[in-house]
Amino acid sequence: MMTGSELKIQVLQRALDTAEKQYGENSQITALLEDKAQKSATIAGVLLAAGFTFVKKETFGPVAARFSVPFVEAMVALTVVLLLLTIALCVLVLWIRERPSLPVGELREMAVQLNVVSESELDESTYVRFLNDCFDLWPNVLDRQDRINIPKSKE
């Protein structure tokens, strides 16, 4: 049978493990969003370059025979504008923003404070308080990650 203190420790340890796992998943989501934006910008840039290279008045001949020249020119202009818009949106996603980091400084400070405490004062309640303090650091970091990832995924 598990004591109340052992149960607290186990629950807090699982909560910390979950927070660390969530941090890793959020970091992976950020990397995937940025990778997708980078690939989209590359494709749009290639298409834009191809449009500027191959689209000339002379190349409108066969198409202009079926459609009016102003219509074809309008479609090319619309395509160029859409490609430029795609590149602009990709740049917004790739824009360098603050990246929340692990609370290493706070953890180091807690470790320093624990080193000051004598071994006779260290008991399960100290460990429970330490785990609680560690867990209290995570919500702020995870919230900042979400505030960065959510707008990126909508752009």
Side-chain angles (χ1 to χ4, degrees):
M1 181 113 198
M2 194 180 301
T3 66
S5 183
E6 290 172 337
L7 180 63
K8 266 187 195 176
I9 290 172
Q10 189 175 21
V11 167
L12 286 170
Q13 192 62 52
R14 284 197 182 171
L16 278 174
D17 292 344
T18 301
E20 290 173 5
K21 202 180 289 185
Q22 183 66 42
Y23 179 83
E25 288 175 7
N26 285 349
S27 296
Q28 189 175 12
I29 288 170
T30 300
L32 289 172
L33 288 170
E34 290 178 356
D35 183 55
K36 186 176 180 181
Q38 199 170 28
K39 288 176 181 173
S40 297
T42 301
I43 291 169
V46 167
L47 292 173
L48 192 61
F52 285 136
T53 302
F54 296 114
V55 176
K56 299 176 183 141
K57 286 272 189 192
E58 300 83 43
T59 58
F60 290 154
V63 177
R66 289 196 173 159
F67 305 103
S68 66
V69 174
F71 174 76
V72 174
E73 289 175 346
M75 294 309 293
V76 169
L78 178 65
T79 302
V80 168
V81 167
L82 290 175
L83 289 170
L84 288 172
L85 181 63
T86 300
I87 292 172
L89 289 174
C90 290
V91 168
L92 281 176
V93 170
L94 294 171
W95 196 266
I96 296 175
R97 295 177 175 103
E98 175 192 359
R99 200 172 276 249
S101 61
L102 295 171
V104 176
E106 292 89 346
L107 290 172
R108 185 175 295 127
E109 179 65 30
M110 284 190 276
V112 167
Q113 289 173 2
L114 275 176
N115 285 334
V116 174
V117 177
S118 68
E119 285 190 32
S120 62
E121 295 176 330
L122 294 175
D123 57 2
E124 283 186 5
S125 66
T126 306
Y127 186 57
V128 169
R129 284 194 310 273
F130 173 74
L131 290 176
N132 271 323
D133 291 344
C134 289
F135 185 69
D136 288 342
L137 297 174
W138 280 103
N140 184 32
V141 173
L142 296 176
D143 287 344
R144 286 192 345 230
Q145 275 186 320
D146 286 341
R147 283 195 307 268
I148 290 171
N149 284 345
I150 289 171
K152 279 188 173 192
S153 65
K154 291 180 181 179
E155 291 175 350

